[in-house]
């Protein structure tokens, strides 16, 4: 029987690991520069946590969650995103008691039962950050700036920032009514999916990818034109601050994002290097969510970004030349006695922090040299009977071919 990985999941093979590790390294460095601390939450949670926060009527909760009964009793779900778990942990562990302002980041796998296609997987990885405790527009802009700074450090030049305000509990209901009336006038001309959403989640109709829907809703009222004074002032300040740090952006009045919990700022970063799934990162403010999940009313803002899509963009832009680690030294042995010696010596040198490889297949000297070359070993030391007897050998630098005589007792390779 042959086993295959599940549709929509991917093995990250050793040849790709250097890219993953480098990108993750940049993510961690930038998060540290912005003073966000890492949180690692379980990959599964109570289903109701996601239903409550993301929203029952969203695509994620209504059709994309991996949910199952734990021993036939509790419904649990593999996390489809990171914000709900992070806030659950924030509330449960009283993180607010330690500081009124908490800045957290995460990085890890997420699970959604979506139709797999380029840039869309069922197990994918996200990094993201949450700034909890303040309504300051500075934090909206800080949160937007984090993924953009990560992309800048990785050499991505084609990212675009789109922002919108989705209003708050004060101004959204009136706007929703207006939009619903507009949409009801279009009735059956909308796609069946959008038609269904008119009552359940009218804002999402503006998010439809259906060309006919887009044409029909071209003159739909947009929330940004119906904001209350507080939301308008907040949005203006976010835009002013983006300007102050030279982050160019465009307003996209149709940007509503697929999750219910956003208030005020919503944003998305896209890349022209991606196809139809062009979002690299997205996020926004969620001032009501902590209370919704049972915590003290606390404002917050956050983002999530896809790692696979980031790697696709790096690939397309030719910025993916990450260097894999390779052995400092390859010990070539010629017979049983030197193989024994090489094994013990390799262990000793590895214990001192040297990257050492040796031959485990009793190959010929030529095959071992080829292997050392293939593995990009920086130095090779060939040890035979003669070398063991004299206690001296020739250390060969692979890039130049230069050989230096050294003592086998005291092996060191120049950095
Ligand atoms: P979301 O949580 O839906 O706002 O997604 C945030 C980011 O995660 C997106 O901009 C993508 O980069 C990435 N992402 C979301 N869903 C998937 C998926 N199914 N496969 C790969 N990446 C995804």
């Amino acid at each position: 029987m042959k086993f295959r990985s599940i549709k929509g999941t991917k093995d990250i093979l050793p040849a790709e690991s250097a890219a993953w590790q480098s990108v993750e390294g940049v993510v961690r460095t930038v998060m540290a520069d912005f003073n966000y601390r890492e949180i690692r939450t379980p990959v599964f949670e109570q289903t109701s946590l996601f239903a409550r926060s993301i929203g029952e009527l969203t695509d994620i909760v209504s059709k994309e969650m991996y949910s199952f009964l734990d021993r036939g009793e509790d419904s649990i779900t593999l996390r489809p995103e990171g914000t709900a778990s992070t806030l659950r942990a924030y509330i449960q562990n009283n993180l607010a008691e330690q500081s009124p302002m908490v800045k957290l980041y995460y990085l890890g796998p997420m699970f959604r039962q979506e139709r797999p296609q380029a840039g869309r997987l069922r197990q994918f990885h996200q990094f993201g950050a949450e700034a909890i405790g303040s309504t300051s527009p500075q934090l909206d802009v800080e949160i937007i700036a984090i993924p953009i700074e990560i992309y800048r450090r990785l050499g991505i030049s084609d990212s675009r920032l789109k922002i919108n305000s989705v209003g708050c509990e004060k101004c959204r209901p009136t706007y929703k009514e207006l939009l619903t009336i507009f949409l009801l006038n279009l009735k059956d001309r909308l796609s069946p999916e959008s038609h269904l959403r008119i009552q359940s989640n009218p804002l999402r109709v503006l998010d439809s990818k259906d060309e006919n829907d887009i044409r029909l809703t071209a003159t739909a009222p947009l929330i940004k034109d119906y904001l209350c004074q507080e939301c308008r002032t907040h949005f203006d300040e976010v835009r002013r601050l983006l300007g102050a740090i030279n982050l160019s952006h465009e307003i996209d009045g149709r940007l509503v994002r697929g999750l219910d919990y956003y208030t005020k700022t919503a944003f998305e970063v896209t890349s022209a290097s991606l196809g139809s799934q062009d979002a690299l990162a997205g996020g926004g403010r969620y001032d009501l969510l902590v209370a919704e999940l049972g915590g003290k009313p606390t404002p917050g803002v956050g983002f999530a970004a896809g790692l696979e899509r980031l790697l696709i963009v790096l690939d397309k832009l030719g910025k993916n030349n990450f260097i894999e680690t390779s052995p400092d030294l390859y010990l070539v042995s010629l017979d049983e006695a030197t193989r024994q010696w090489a094994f013990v010596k390799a262990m000793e040198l590895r214990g001192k922090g040297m990257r050492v490889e040796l031959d485990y297949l009793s190959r010929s000297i030529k095959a071992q040299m080829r292997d050392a070359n293939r593995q990009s070993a920086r130095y090779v030391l060939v040890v035979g009977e003669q070398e063991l007897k004299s206690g001296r050998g020739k250390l060969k630098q692979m890039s130049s071919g230069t050989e230096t005589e050294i003592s086998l007792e005291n092996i060191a390779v120049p950095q």
Side-chain angles (χ1 to χ4, degrees), residues 112 114 119-121 124 126 257 259 279-282 304-306 309:
R112 293 183 197 172
E114 296 196 81
R120 207 202 249 167
L121 293 158
F124 58 99
Q126 283 185 339
R257 315 231 342 107
L259 299 80
L280 268 176
R309 289 195 198 166

Side-chain angles (χ1 to χ4, degrees), residues 74 81 97 227 243 295 320 368 390 400:
D74 307 315
E81 54 104 58
E97 265 176 26
L227 297 176
N320 62 342
Q368 289 185 55
S390 66
S400 62

Side-chain angles (χ1 to χ4, degrees), residues 9 21 25 86 95 120 129 142 223 238 262 291 296 301 346 355:
T9 68
Q21 287 173 10
T86 303
L95 297 190
R120 207 202 249 167
E142 180 169 303
I223 176 94
V238 166
Y262 291 115
K296 267 202 239 120
V301 54
R355 295 182 187 142

Side-chain angles (χ1 to χ4, degrees), residues 196-214:
L196 275 178
R197 281 186 175 143
I198 297 179
Q199 294 298 348
S200 62
N201 203 347
L203 267 77
R204 287 298 312 282
V205 178
L206 299 179
D207 213 19
S208 168
K209 300 281 176 281
D210 182 285
E211 276 183 20
N212 197 42
D213 286 354
I214 295 174

Side-chain angles (χ1 to χ4, degrees), residues 161-316:
L161 168 63
K162 296 193 278 191
I163 67 163
N164 193 18
S165 173
V166 294
C168 65
E169 76 279 16
K170 276 178 263 156
C171 47
R172 199 151 50 188
T174 322
Y175 165 73
K176 251 187 179 172
E177 267 173 42
L178 261 172
L179 179 64
T180 309
I181 294 167
F182 176 91
L183 296 173
L184 282 172
N185 276 330
L186 300 171
K187 281 207 198 103
D188 311 338
R189 286 148 68 206
L190 289 167
S191 66
E193 204 169 29
S194 289
H195 195 216
L196 275 178
R197 281 186 175 143
I198 297 179
Q199 294 298 348
S200 62
N201 203 347
L203 267 77
R204 287 298 312 282
V205 178
L206 299 179
D207 213 19
S208 168
K209 300 281 176 281
D210 182 285
E211 276 183 20
N212 197 42
D213 286 354
I214 295 174
R215 202 157 8 92
L216 286 169
T217 57
T219 56
L222 298 175
I223 176 94
K224 71 179 175 60
D225 301 320
Y226 296 87
L227 297 176
C228 60
Q229 191 54 45
E230 187 189 317
C231 288
R232 157 96 8 238
T233 309
H234 188 93
F235 191 44
D236 289 345
E237 184 60 5
V238 166
R239 298 198 56 209
R240 193 189 67 74
L241 288 169
L242 285 171
I245 59 164
N246 293 320
L247 276 191
S248 57
H249 63 275
E250 53 200 271
I251 297 179
D252 179 351
R254 300 172 75 94
L255 177 73
V256 294
R257 315 231 342 107
L259 299 80
D260 272 359
Y261 52 59
Y262 291 115
T263 47
K264 298 196 172 103
T265 313
F267 73 95
E268 213 162 78
V269 183
T270 59
S271 163
S273 303
L274 293 168
S276 60
Q277 303 296 320
D278 68 350
L280 268 176
R285 184 162 272 287
Y286 45 77
D287 289 344
L288 307 175
L289 186 52
V290 176
E292 184 71 29
L293 295 178
K296 267 202 239 120
T298 314
V301 54
F303 81 91
L307 268 161
E308 282 82 358
R309 289 195 198 166
L310 171 51
L311 288 160
I312 293 175
V313 173
L314 291 173
D315 230 11
K316 288 255 168 73

